Amino acid sequence: MAVLVTGGAGYIGSHAVAALVERGEEIVIVDNLQQGHRDAVLGGKLYVGDLRDGEFLDTVFGENSIDAVIHFAANSLVGESMKDPGKYYHNNVYGTLCLLEKMNQHGVKKIVFSSTAATYGEPENVPIHEHDRTLPTNTYGETKLAMEKMMKWFDVASGIKYVSLRYFNAAGAHASGKIGEDHSPETHLVPIILQTALGQRSHISIFGDDYPTEDGTCIRDYIHVSDLADAHVLAVDRLRSGGDSAIYNLGNGTGFSVKQVIDIARQVTGRDIPAVIEARRAGDPAVLVASSDLARSELGWKPTRNKLEDIIGSAWAWHQANPAGYNKQ
Ligand code: UDP
C-alpha cells in the first residue's frame, strides 16, 4: 500500500518523502508546486495539482492503492496570514476539507497532519504540553487548529484516525545534501541569516527586541527537519498498527532567542552577519518551547540531530552548495 504525501515537494514534505524512500515505502505525492520544487522530490510518483480539485484527487486515489496520507500541503507564513487571512482559510481549511471528503469516499482512514506550535498562541506554560490552552495569535495558527478540529469530527463520524504533529521551528537540511530549505519569498529566520552570511542580503532584521525575554528577542525551539520527518514515519506506523488519534508536539525542549541564533550562525559560518533591530512582526508570540515527552513515550520518537550548531551547519552546507536554491521552472 502507498503513502500519499500532500505538499511532498515542499520543505518539510520533501524531507518526509526522503525518510519514506529510505524505508522502501511506496509513495505518491501531490503538490501544486506553488511553493514546492520538483527537484526536492527524491522518490515516489508526483502528481501536480491542487487538493481543492475533486476530479484531480479522484484520479490520484483511483490510480493508486493508498492506505495512509501525510498532509503537509498548506500555506504556512505567520506574517502573510495576518495580511491575507482568506488565502489561509481557502487553501488550508477548505483544502483539508476537500482532502478528508475524498479520503472518506475512497475508504482511506489514516492521516498524519502537519500542525504547528502556532495553535497555542501565547503560551500559559513553558514548555508547552499538548493539553495546554490553544488560543492562536495569528491566522496561520487558527487555520491549523481548525484543520485539527475538522479531523476530530471526521474521526467521530467516519473513523478517519489522525495523528497531528505540532512542530516548533523546523530548520536544517538533509544529510545527503540533496534537499534543503528554499521558500520564495523567504521569511524564515535561519535561511535569511544564511543568505545574509552568503552576502545575498545586507543584514538580518530582528523583529522586535522589546519582548519579555532575557535579551528582548523572541525565543523559539529549533528542531532538525529530518527529526521531524522521522516522526511522520513513526506516526504512520502508529496508525497502521491500529493506534488511536493523537496530537503530539515535536521540538527539542530548548529555546534560543533570535539574537542567540544569529550568534551561533556567526560561529558556524565564520561570517559577519550584520543585524538590525526593527519593529515587531504581527502575530509573533514571545516564547514557544515544546515538551515532546508524549511523542517520545507514545511514538518512540528520538530526535538525534539536537544541537543548534549542527542544525544550522547542515543548512549552511546546503545554502553554500545551492546559493540560488532549487532550479526554478
Ligand atoms: N525573525 C526575525 N527576522 C526575520 C525572520 C524571523 O527576527 O527575518 C524572527 C521571528 O519574528 C520569530 C523567529 O525569528 O520570532 C522565528 O521566525 P520564523 O519566521 O523563522 O518562524 P515562526 O516562528 O514564525 O514559525
Side-chain angles (χ1 to χ4, degrees):
M1 296 292 270
V3 180
L4 168 62
V5 183
T6 77
Y11 173 44
I12 304 173
S14 63
H15 284 78
V17 168
L20 293 167
V21 168
E22 282 154 24
R23 277 242 305 211
E25 293 276 351
E26 194 185 332
I27 309 158
V28 176
I29 296 142
V30 162
D31 201 298
N32 63 12
L33 297 182
Q34 253 176 33
Q35 287 290 327
H37 308 277
R38 272 180 204 279
D39 290 350
V41 178
L42 296 185
K45 187 159 131 195
L46 172 64
Y47 289 78
V48 177
D50 198 287
L51 296 180
R52 294 163 289 187
D53 178 346
E55 280 180 29
F56 167 70
L57 274 193
D58 280 334
T59 305
V60 173
F61 282 110
E63 288 183 357
N64 300 282
S65 296
I66 292 164
D67 72 325
V69 176
I70 307 181
H71 178 33
F72 293 98
N75 293 110
S76 61
L77 302 180
V78 168
E80 181 189 57
S81 79
M82 299 299 284
K83 293 185 183 124
D84 191 357
K87 177 175 178 178
Y88 280 69
Y89 277 91
H90 206 273
N91 191 28
N92 295 3
V93 179
Y94 177 58
T96 299
L97 173 61
C98 295
L99 174 66
L100 288 170
E101 285 183 334
K102 286 297 169 194
M103 285 175 61
N104 220 359
Q105 267 175 32
H106 291 271
V108 179
K109 300 285 183 183
K110 302 174 188 66
I111 181 166
V112 175
F113 177 60
S114 163
S115 189
T116 170
T119 52
Y120 294 107
E122 201 65 65
E124 287 180 305
N125 306 301
V126 178
I128 303 171
H129 290 82
E130 291 81 353
H131 55 257
D132 282 332
R133 180 189 69 180
T134 48
L135 193 62
T137 54
N138 55 63
T139 315
Y140 165 59
E142 189 76 73
T143 59
K144 286 279 176 169
L145 189 58
M147 294 148 88
E148 281 189 356
K149 288 184 176 167
M150 199 191 295
M151 289 189 298
K152 178 179 116 180
W153 296 112
F154 272 77
D155 181 4
V156 170
S158 312
I160 292 182
K161 296 294 169 195
Y162 66 93
V163 173
S164 181
L165 300 174
R166 291 179 176 163
Y167 332 136
F168 284 62
N169 286 64
H174 196 258
S176 67
K178 290 183 183 157
I179 53 175
E181 185 167 13
D182 176 12
H183 301 102
S184 27
E186 190 55 76
T187 66
H188 291 106
L189 183 64
V190 171
I192 289 184
I193 290 173
L194 297 179
Q195 288 172 353
T196 311
L198 283 172
Q200 295 174 347
R201 296 173 185 259
S202 60
H203 64 276
I204 167 84
S205 303
I206 296 176
F207 297 145
D209 70 345
D210 56 350
Y211 284 95
T213 62
E214 204 164 309
D215 67 18
T217 64
C218 285
I219 291 178
R220 295 287 181 273
D221 179 341
Y222 294 85
I223 176 88
H224 196 291
V225 64
S226 293
D227 282 331
L228 288 186
D230 291 346
H232 293 76
V233 177
L234 292 169
V236 169
D237 288 346
R238 175 191 163 95
L239 293 176
R240 279 182 171 161
S241 58
D244 207 353
S245 295
I247 297 176
Y248 299 116
N249 288 342
L250 299 179
N252 269 320
T254 310
F256 290 88
S257 73
V258 173
K259 283 185 175 169
Q260 286 174 320
V261 177
I262 295 170
D263 279 340
I264 291 172
R266 286 178 179 137
Q267 289 162 27
V268 168
T269 63
R271 305 278 171 99
D272 199 19
I273 315 184
V276 174
I277 308 292
E278 290 185 16
R280 289 183 179 198
R281 184 175 71 178
D284 269 341
V287 181
L288 289 174
V289 177
S291 163
S292 302
D293 293 350
L294 211 55
R296 288 168 191 265
S297 63
E298 292 192 8
L299 282 182
W301 181 60
K302 286 191 204 80
T304 57
R305 305 143 180 111
N306 311 52
K307 284 183 70 185
L308 189 54
E309 289 83 341
D310 298 341
I311 295 173
I312 293 177
S314 72
W316 178 232
W318 194 81
H319 279 269
Q320 281 185 301
N322 303 274
Y326 291 104
N327 285 329
K328 311 282 186 292
Q329 291 97 354

